[in-house]
Amino acid sequence: VKQRETVMSTGFDNGVAIPHPRNPLPDALSDSVVAFGRTVSGIPFGAPRRALTDMFFLVLARDSQTHLQILARIGRLMQLPDFVNRLRAAESSADAYNLICEADAVVDG
């Protein structure tokens, strides 16, 4: 993940980053993993113009197809109206998880 960030940052202007290795990790994982984390205040994370980042989706995938599907899915979540703002305002990890699940169901159609 650190190597990937030195090549090109996965941080965006909206305070969200999607760190992931450049290539899938077939030998390192038993299953693909997506983890969400949020900081109370933003941290510098290589986003354009050194914007502060406060929300992270860590993506670790076993194969290229899953890797690309996960990144695309998160991208669609980010495009939902108010998703980022609502996620940032979630009061607990359970609230954040439920919001992500609800948004994922909307994206799934």
Side-chain angles (χ1 to χ4, degrees), residues 86-87 89-102:
R86 290 179 60 207
L87 190 55
E91 293 186 15
S92 68
S93 58
D95 291 342
Y97 177 79
N98 290 332
L99 177 61
I100 293 167
C101 290
E102 289 169 13

Side-chain angles (χ1 to χ4, degrees), residues 5-97:
E5 289 298 321
T6 62
V7 172
M8 181 200 272
S9 176
T10 60
F12 297 94
D13 281 337
N14 65 355
V16 176
I18 308 172
H20 57 276
R22 187 176 167 120
N23 296 307
L25 304 168
D27 299 327
L29 301 170
S30 61
D31 292 313
S32 296
V33 175
V34 178
F36 171 74
R38 185 178 73 188
T39 64
V40 175
S41 60
I43 59 173
F45 192 77
R49 294 181 299 284
R50 301 299 296 167
L52 296 179
T53 301
D54 63 343
M55 295 194 301
F56 299 85
F57 287 89
L58 174 65
V59 176
L60 304 171
R62 289 187 45 82
D63 60 81
S64 295
Q65 181 177 355
T66 303
H67 179 84
L68 294 174
Q69 288 173 340
I70 293 169
L71 293 177
R73 188 78 163 221
I74 293 171
R76 288 193 297 276
L77 292 176
M78 295 299 144
Q79 294 175 5
L80 292 174
D82 293 325
F83 174 76
V84 172
N85 290 333
R86 290 179 60 207
L87 190 55
R88 187 169 280 127
E91 293 186 15
S92 68
S93 58
D95 291 342
Y97 177 79

